[in-house]
Amino acid sequence: MDDIARHLGISKKTIYLHFLDKDTIVTKVVEHQLLQKKALCEQICGNLNDPLKELLSRNEELNLQFGNVHEMLLSELKKYYPTAWNLYNNYKNEYFIEKIKNNLTRGIKAGLYRNDLNIDIVAGLSLGQMGFSHDSSIFPSGKFKAEEVKTQMLHHFVRGLLSENGLAIYNQYLGQHHDTF
């Protein structure tokens, strides 16, 4: 609280006029961040009719948003701020997983993704991949760059989803956007 007050140039007493405790502040910050992420996700999903392009754009945006999130932050959130952690988990396990399932369904219907995918399992794998990429016991930061780990995981994962038609389109996207995807 001292750091927050010092950074804002106000007293701790002023902070406590607006927030009950540190848990409330953390919860409000997480709530605000998740609302921004939802708005951005809705914008991406609303602007793109192509499920594959949407998947790639959403993953690119997630890398920008979560690229600097350290696994210790999530661990501390879970351990010390259960209300904020529950907000994050609900976002991930309810809102975001539905976005993934919707994308998979549309991609199968469009012939871009394989039609033998189990949408529930693949959506869970996609969600798990995000947490897995932050695991420093597997990908220590001194040995691996987080962006490279995420890029390799994305390419591996997406190629497993694609039909032959989808793979051809994916390769075109990679050729056009080799710096981005």
Side-chain angles (χ1 to χ4, degrees), residues 55-65 154 180-181:
L55 174 70
L56 295 171
S57 295
R58 193 174 57 220
N59 273 293
E60 179 184 2
E61 190 55 44
L62 282 172
N63 281 341
L64 291 173
Q65 291 179 16
L154 173 65
T180 310
F181 301 132

Side-chain angles (χ1 to χ4, degrees), residues 81-93:
Y81 305 102
T83 305
W85 176 253
N86 287 336
L87 283 173
Y88 171 74
N89 255 349
N90 289 341
Y91 168 79
K92 195 174 70 166
N93 295 322

Side-chain angles (χ1 to χ4, degrees), residues 12-56:
K12 284 194 324 185
K13 183 177 177 180
T14 303
I15 293 173
Y16 284 118
L17 288 174
H18 300 281
F19 299 98
L20 180 63
D21 55 19
K22 191 165 41 169
D23 185 51
T24 305
I25 293 173
V26 171
T27 299
K28 289 293 183 189
V29 168
V30 168
E31 188 175 78
H32 177 75
Q33 290 293 316
L34 293 177
L35 285 172
Q36 287 184 321
K37 288 174 189 355
K38 279 183 181 181
L40 188 57
C41 187
E42 292 299 326
Q43 179 183 5
I44 290 169
C45 294
N47 289 337
L48 298 172
N49 292 326
D50 176 347
L52 180 54
K53 193 168 239 179
E54 175 190 306
L55 174 70
L56 295 171

Side-chain angles (χ1 to χ4, degrees), residues 85-109:
W85 176 253
N86 287 336
L87 283 173
Y88 171 74
N89 255 349
N90 289 341
Y91 168 79
K92 195 174 70 166
N93 295 322
E94 292 173 15
Y95 172 80
F96 199 69
I97 202 147
E98 285 307 313
K99 289 295 181 190
I100 295 168
K101 289 178 183 181
N102 179 278
N103 179 276
L104 292 169
T105 301
R106 291 183 306 113
I108 291 169
K109 285 181 184 172

